[in-house]
Amino acid sequence: MGTKTSTIAMKVPSVDLRAQYADIREEIQAALQEVLESQQFIFGPKVEQFEQEMARYCGTQYGVGVASGTDALLLSLKAVGVGPGDEVITSPFSFFATAGAIHNLGAVPVFVDIQPDTFNLNPELIEAKRTARTKALLPVHLFGQCADMKPVLDIARHHGLPVIEDAAQSIGAEYCLDGLWHKAGSLGDLGCISFFPSKNLGAFGDGGLVVTGRQELDDQVRLLRFHGGRTKYVHERVGYNSRLDALQAAVLSVKLKHLDRWVEARRAHAATYDRLLGASAWDSAVVPPLIRDYAKSVFNQYVIRCHRRDALKEFLEERGISTAVYYPVPLHLQPCFNDLGYKAGDLPVAEKACREVLALPIYPELTEEMQNYVVTQIRDFYRK
Ligand SMILES: Cc1ncc(COP(=O)(O)O)c(C=O)c1O
């Protein structure tokens, strides 16, 4: 075998934001210039326009820009009245913000194990974890695929619980409910979206948005994002400073016009990976992601399950291929949640996923040549 550098035939990053920017540079610069000339950075027409565009895109009545996806969750939870001592049922297999937002309101995240094939919360396990203190349900639409929302919504309706969707990774994803397709974020009471740069719709920094069809929740989130004040210096409740600024809104408005095209490219790349991986005899060493019939994924990530994951990751890295592990530690076993009393083995499906998942490079500008290279290298690894 040659040296590490000589094994790199091609560089394949996890994402390539520079390629995206190169494609839309002029449009972005014109939009930014407009904001700079106006010198209106907080609230104002750019933000309002983008909020309306997002509401339309997600199929909801209202959209409220906030500072991040994390804050979208925090403000949504607070808007439905989650507070100290309450319990919120959610997934243990998600980015930390999902549980962190619950904890930061003094409430308790109650983790329900996931489905092995979709990595999303298993709705069949919710009832067993519901108590008199349960205040809300917080399903996560992971990697671009909606959680199975019908049973979640049925449970919520039955017990009068609000549903907050963590759609941070899944803007534009769809779920088929009673024969009709609905966009992620529009199924529950509130939907939370992140514009972290690596998301399918990424800002030039942090940003987030809450979508809702309920006027009173829109009103509450609007209050909460600006210190609970409707009129200057009069505060109805204690809120936060959490706003999407005009520069980010301008960037996002431009990018939103391209989002469907980018999602189509992601879907095509996912189909290519499916085909290339499906053509190999892996003996279950590699399992491609499964998209259920009720879902149209937007493939924010393309996540395989694989044997000897860490060794494969290192092998690919040495060959110029960047991959990522989302997530190596489940939320119920995070050190900061020790006092919740979970132990290893409590949520075995999520724990197993943490040992096996690997996100392959996926972004609109990825080429088929790169994908061929990735899958050839994976094949080489298992041949050894
Ligand atoms: C599932 C999930 N929830 C919440 C967040 C938080 O979003 P942000 O990074 O914009 O605060 C993220 C993203 O980073 C996420 O992936």
Side-chain angles (χ1 to χ4, degrees):
M1 210 160 84
T3 62
K4 282 187 179 182
T5 42
S6 71
T7 57
I8 298 181
M10 197 185 287
K11 279 266 190 194
V12 189
S14 291
V15 288
D16 188 353
L17 293 173
R18 275 181 301 189
Q20 183 188 76
Y21 179 56
D23 191 34
I24 54 171
R25 183 184 280 113
E26 282 77 28
E27 278 176 275
I28 293 276
Q29 289 183 350
L32 289 175
Q33 196 58 36
E34 232 185 280
V35 179
L36 295 181
E37 292 301 331
S38 79
Q39 287 291 300
Q40 174 140 25
F41 299 115
I42 303 292
F43 296 137
K46 281 280 177 205
V47 176
E48 283 164 26
Q49 178 196 321
F50 178 64
E51 288 176 338
Q52 285 161 18
E53 288 168 355
M54 277 296 299
R56 208 174 309 127
Y57 187 81
C58 293
T60 59
Q61 189 105 23
Y62 308 99
V64 191
V66 294
S68 65
T70 302
D71 279 6
L73 290 165
L74 186 79
L75 271 58
S76 294
L77 287 161
K78 199 165 167 101
V80 299
V82 169
D86 292 333
E87 295 176 354
V88 178
I89 291 178
T90 193
S91 169
F93 193 61
S94 181
F95 180 60
F96 181 76
T98 311
I102 298 168
H103 180 87
N104 276 335
L105 288 171
V108 179
V110 174
F111 299 109
V112 161
D113 212 350
I114 57 170
Q115 299 169 327
D117 52 358
T118 67
F119 305 114
N120 280 324
L121 172 148
N122 185 344
E124 288 172 18
L125 305 175
I126 292 177
E127 274 295 1
K129 292 285 185 92
R130 198 183 51 77
T131 73
R133 287 185 300 277
T134 305
K135 187 79 181 191
L137 306 181
L138 205 178
V140 182
H141 305 317
L142 207 64
F143 303 147
Q145 173 170 217
C146 285
D148 190 1
M149 289 300 287
K150 169 123 176 78
V152 173
L153 295 170
D154 286 346
I155 294 167
R157 210 166 295 135
H158 190 71
H159 300 287
L161 294 169
V163 175
I164 297 163
E165 296 172 65
D166 183 340
Q169 301 183 4
S170 295
I171 181 173
E174 291 179 74
Y175 178 85
C176 190
L177 183 67
D178 301 329
L180 285 178
W181 289 97
H182 297 261
K183 288 267 173 76
S186 71
L187 291 140
D189 296 271
L190 298 134
C192 304
I193 288 163
S194 164
F195 302 122
F196 186 78
S198 64
K199 298 293 193 271
N200 288 12
L201 183 63
F204 285 1
D206 278 310
L209 191 116
V210 176
V211 288
T212 181
R214 291 177 50 188
Q215 195 269 330
E216 74 280 15
L217 293 178
D218 169 74
D219 184 58
Q220 282 305 304
V221 176
R222 275 177 200 282
L223 264 188
L224 288 168
R225 75 171 170 179
F226 189 35
H227 295 300
R230 229 178 275 281
T231 350
K232 236 180 183 182
Y233 307 124
V234 181
H235 304 273
E236 276 177 39
R237 57 185 303 193
V238 179
Y240 305 87
N241 175 11
S242 180
R243 296 174 294 222
L244 181 73
D245 66 65
L247 282 168
Q248 300 300 348
V251 167
L252 290 164
S253 262
V254 168
K255 286 195 175 192
L256 183 58
K257 295 193 195 93
H258 299 275
L259 182 60
D260 286 341
R261 170 169 71 84
W262 291 334
V263 168
E264 279 319 309
R266 285 175 179 274
R267 286 182 174 143
H269 299 331
T272 300
Y273 272 137
D274 285 349
R275 175 168 53 76
L276 295 173
L277 291 169
S280 301
W282 302 108
D283 294 329
S284 80
V286 173
V287 180
L290 183 101
I291 306 303
R292 295 264 187 115
D293 288 345
Y294 57 65
K296 288 185 196 166
S297 176
V298 290
F299 290 101
N300 181 239
Q301 300 296 340
Y302 184 93
V303 176
I304 60 168
R305 273 181 190 274
C306 53
H307 290 178
R308 293 189 287 136
R309 191 264 318 275
D310 294 340
L312 172 62
K313 184 175 191 328
E314 197 179 323
F315 181 91
L316 294 175
E317 199 69 55
E318 284 167 6
R319 280 150 187 81
I321 299 165
S322 280
T323 58
V325 175
Y326 305 118
Y327 297 90
V329 182
L331 297 177
H332 65 289
L333 298 181
Q334 291 292 342
C336 62
F337 292 140
N338 271 347
D339 59 352
L340 296 181
Y342 291 91
K343 54 187 189 321
D346 282 351
L347 302 172
V349 185
E351 291 166 32
K352 187 164 188 282
C354 289
R355 293 190 295 270
E356 295 183 348
V357 289
L358 191 65
L360 303 184
I362 192 159
Y363 49 90
E365 299 78 10
L366 189 71
T367 65
E368 187 154 343
E369 191 190 5
M370 288 166 150
Q371 293 191 272
N372 266 313
Y373 178 63
V374 171
V375 177
T376 304
Q377 297 309 313
I378 296 175
R379 203 173 294 133
D380 277 1
F381 174 77
Y382 287 109
R383 246 190 229 129
K384 282 178 200 304

